C-alpha cells in the first residue's frame, strides 16, 4: 500500500533555541530563504505524500499563514513584474492538502502524534519531525515509504550517532537485512551509558501502521515526563517487528543552535543566488580563524 498521508509534529516549545523561539516557532526559522518546515513539506510531497496534518500549538499560527494564500502580496508581486516570486508563493499553498490541529499542552511527541488519529484513519502514515530538515537527492521520507511497501512493517529512519550524542536520542537493537535496511527489535529513549543497545538512533522520520494509536493511548509518560513516541514504537518493535532505514541525505537539527548554523552554511553554499558570494566570504573569514 502506498503511503499518502503524513503527520508533521510542530507543537514543541523549542526551549533549546530560546530566545529566538519565544515568539517564533523553531519550525519557521529560515534556512537561507525558506522556513525549515517548508523543506519538510517539500520532502513529503516529493515522497508521494498528498495529505498532511501539521500539529501546532498556541502562538504558532504563523505556520498556518505560511501555507495559506496571500492575495495582497501576490497582487503586488504581479504588478511589479516579479512573476517568479509570485509563482513560488502560489506553489507553497498548493503543494499538498494541508490541515492543522492544535496540541493544547506540550506533553511530548507521542501525545502530539495522537492528535492525528482521526485524520490518519486506518492507513499507514509517515511522520516527519518538524524540526528535522533532511536534504538529499532521494527524499528520506520516500526511502522509508519504499521500505514499508517492501516489508509491510512500521519503519524508522536511522543513523549512527556518537557515544556522547546517543544519550540525547534513542538507542536501537538491530540486525542487518540488506544494504541499508535493518530489522529493529528493541529500543530505549534517552539511554543511560549502561543501557546503550547500539549507536544507531531514530532520527527525524518514520512510517507507522495505524495500530500505533492504540499503543500510544496506553503509553504512560516516560523520559522527561512526556508521552514518548519511542516508548510506543518499542512495543511495536517487540511485538510485530519493525524495519530501520539508514537513509541517505544530510540531517540538520533545527532544534539546536549548531544545527541551525550548519544548515544555513551548507544550503547557502549550494544556493543559486548566493553561493558564489557566500563562498568567497567564507574563504575570507576562514583565513582569520
Ligand atoms: P523536540 O523534543 O525536539 O521538541 O521534539 P521540543 O520539545 O520543542 O524541544 P526542546 O527540548 O524544548 O528544545 C521533536 C518534534 O516534536 C514536536 C516538536 O515541535 C518537534 O518538531 N513536539 C514535541 C510536539 O509537537 N509536541 C510536543 O509536546 C513535543
Amino acid at each position: 500500500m502506498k503511503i499518502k498521508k503524513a503527520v508533521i509534529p510542530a507543537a514543541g516549545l523549542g526551549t533549546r533555541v530560546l530566545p529566538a523561539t519565544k515568539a517564533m516557532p523553531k519550525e519557521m526559522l529560515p534556512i537561507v530563504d525558506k522556513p525549515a518546515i517548508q523543506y519538510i513539506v517539500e520532502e513529503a510531497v516529493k515522497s508521494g505524500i498528498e495529505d498532511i496534518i501539521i500539529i501546532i500549538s498556541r502562538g504558532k499560527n504563523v505556520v498556518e499563514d505560511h501555507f495559506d494564500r496571500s492575495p495582497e502580496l501576490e497582487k503586488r508581486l504581479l504588478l511589479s513584474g516579479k512573476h517568479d516570486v509570485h509563482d513560488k508563493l502560489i506553489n507553497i499553498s498548493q503543494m499538498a492538502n494541508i490541515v492543522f490541529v492544535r496540541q493544547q499542552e506540550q506533553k511530548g511527541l507521542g501525545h502530539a502524534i495522537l492528535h492525528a488519529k482521526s485524520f490518519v484513519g486506518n492507513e499507514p502514515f509517515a511522520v516527519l519531525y518538524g524540526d528535522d530538515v533532511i536534504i538529499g537527492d532521494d527524499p528520506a521520507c520516500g526511502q522509508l515509504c519504499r521500505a514499508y511497501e517492501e516489508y509491510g512493517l512500521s519503519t524508522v529512519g536511522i543513523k549512527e550517532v556518537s557515544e556522547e550524542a546517543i544519550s540525547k536520542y534513542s538507542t536501537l537493537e538491530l540486525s542487518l537485512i540488506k544494504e541499508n535496511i535493518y530489522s529493529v527489535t528493541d529500543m530505549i529513549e534517552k539511554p543511560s551509558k549502561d543501557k546503550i543497545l547500539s549507536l544507531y538512533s531514530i532520527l527525524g522520520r518514520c512510517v507507522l501502521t495505524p495500530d500505533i494509536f492504540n499503543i500510544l493511548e496506553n503509553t504512560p509518560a516516560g523520559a522527561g515526563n512526556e508521552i514518548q513516541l519511542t516508548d510506543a514504537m518499542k512495543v511495536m518493535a517487540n511485538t510485530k517487528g519493525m524495519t530501520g532505514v539508514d537513509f541517505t541525505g544530510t540531517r540538520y537539527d533545527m532544534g539546536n543552535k549548531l544545527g541551525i548554523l550548519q544548515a544555513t552554511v551548507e544550503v547557502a553554499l549550494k544556493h543559486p543566488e548566493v553561493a558564489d558570494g557566500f563562498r568567497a566570504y567564507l574563504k575570507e573569514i576562514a583565513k582569520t580563524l
Side-chain angles (χ1 to χ4, degrees):
M1 183 180 188
K2 290 249 180 237
I3 312 283
K4 295 281 173 211
K5 290 184 178 170
V7 179
I8 303 181
L13 295 173
T15 55
R16 285 166 294 154
V17 207
L18 283 168
T21 48
K22 187 179 173 202
M24 168 65 81
K26 63 178 164 181
E27 295 81 6
M28 286 300 290
L29 293 172
I31 306 176
V32 186
D33 55 3
K34 284 192 283 191
I37 197 158
Q38 188 180 331
Y39 289 87
I40 295 170
V41 169
E42 285 172 355
E43 179 195 324
V45 171
K46 274 191 219 140
S47 306
I49 300 294
E50 292 171 1
D51 299 305
I52 298 174
I53 188 166
I54 303 182
I55 320 289
I56 54 170
S57 50
R58 237 178 1 268
K60 295 212 180 189
N61 297 353
V62 64
V63 179
E64 285 189 69
D65 292 344
H66 186 72
F67 291 98
D68 198 357
R69 291 287 297 271
S70 183
E72 300 86 352
L73 194 55
E74 289 162 15
K75 215 161 138 194
R76 177 65 66 90
L77 288 168
L78 281 183
L79 281 173
S80 50
K82 294 184 175 157
H83 294 273
D84 49 340
V85 194
H86 168 268
D87 295 351
K88 268 188 199 164
L89 289 203
I90 300 268
N91 186 45
I92 297 171
S93 58
Q94 294 180 344
M95 276 190 287
N97 306 317
I98 306 180
V99 298
F100 298 85
V101 67
R102 278 189 180 215
Q103 182 191 23
Q104 295 183 341
E105 283 181 275
Q106 279 49 69
K107 292 185 181 170
L109 180 57
H111 182 254
I113 299 298
L114 264 177
H115 287 68
K117 187 179 172 184
S118 59
F119 165 85
V120 165
N122 199 26
E123 351 176 346
F125 62 102
V127 179
L128 299 94
Y129 299 13
D131 58 352
D132 268 326
V133 171
I134 302 177
I135 294 182
D137 294 334
D138 187 9
C141 174
Q143 296 175 45
L144 269 64
C145 291
R146 294 201 296 271
Y148 171 79
E149 281 163 30
E150 188 170 352
Y151 297 96
L153 294 173
S154 289
T155 305
V156 284
I158 62 172
K159 284 258 179 223
E160 243 179 330
V161 303
S162 68
E163 218 170 320
E164 300 77 65
I166 194 98
S167 61
K168 287 188 236 144
Y169 298 113
S170 55
T171 177
L172 302 179
E173 180 183 82
L174 38 64
S175 56
L176 185 66
I177 300 179
K178 66 169 189 192
E179 294 152 18
N180 61 337
I181 314 261
Y182 293 78
S183 163
V184 177
T185 41
D186 205 3
M187 62 187 73
I188 301 171
E189 177 71 15
K190 300 197 171 49
S192 53
K193 268 215 157 116
D194 55 318
K195 296 230 168 87
I196 296 173
L197 302 168
S198 75
L199 290 181
Y200 274 99
S201 189
I202 300 173
L203 292 181
R205 304 287 179 267
C206 51
V207 166
L208 298 168
T209 49
D211 41 344
I212 195 74
F213 293 114
N214 197 10
I215 304 174
L216 271 172
E217 277 162 349
N218 293 295
T219 301
N225 205 27
E226 294 187 339
I227 298 178
Q228 296 288 350
L229 181 61
T230 312
D231 292 345
M233 291 199 287
K234 175 189 169 74
V235 174
M236 200 168 242
N238 290 166
T239 53
K240 307 206 158 171
M242 234 180 191
T243 46
V245 177
D246 188 349
F247 57 83
T248 59
T250 310
R251 167 188 171 262
Y252 301 102
D253 181 359
M254 296 298 288
N256 83 65
K257 292 165 197 155
L258 189 58
I260 296 168
L261 291 169
Q262 287 163 337
T264 301
V265 170
E266 291 182 34
V267 171
L269 283 170
K270 290 191 186 128
H271 192 285
E273 217 177 296
V274 296
D276 291 347
F278 187 60
R279 183 170 293 106
Y281 164 76
L282 270 191
K283 281 185 177 162
E284 279 308 307
I285 287 281
K287 285 183 199 158
T288 67
L289 298 179

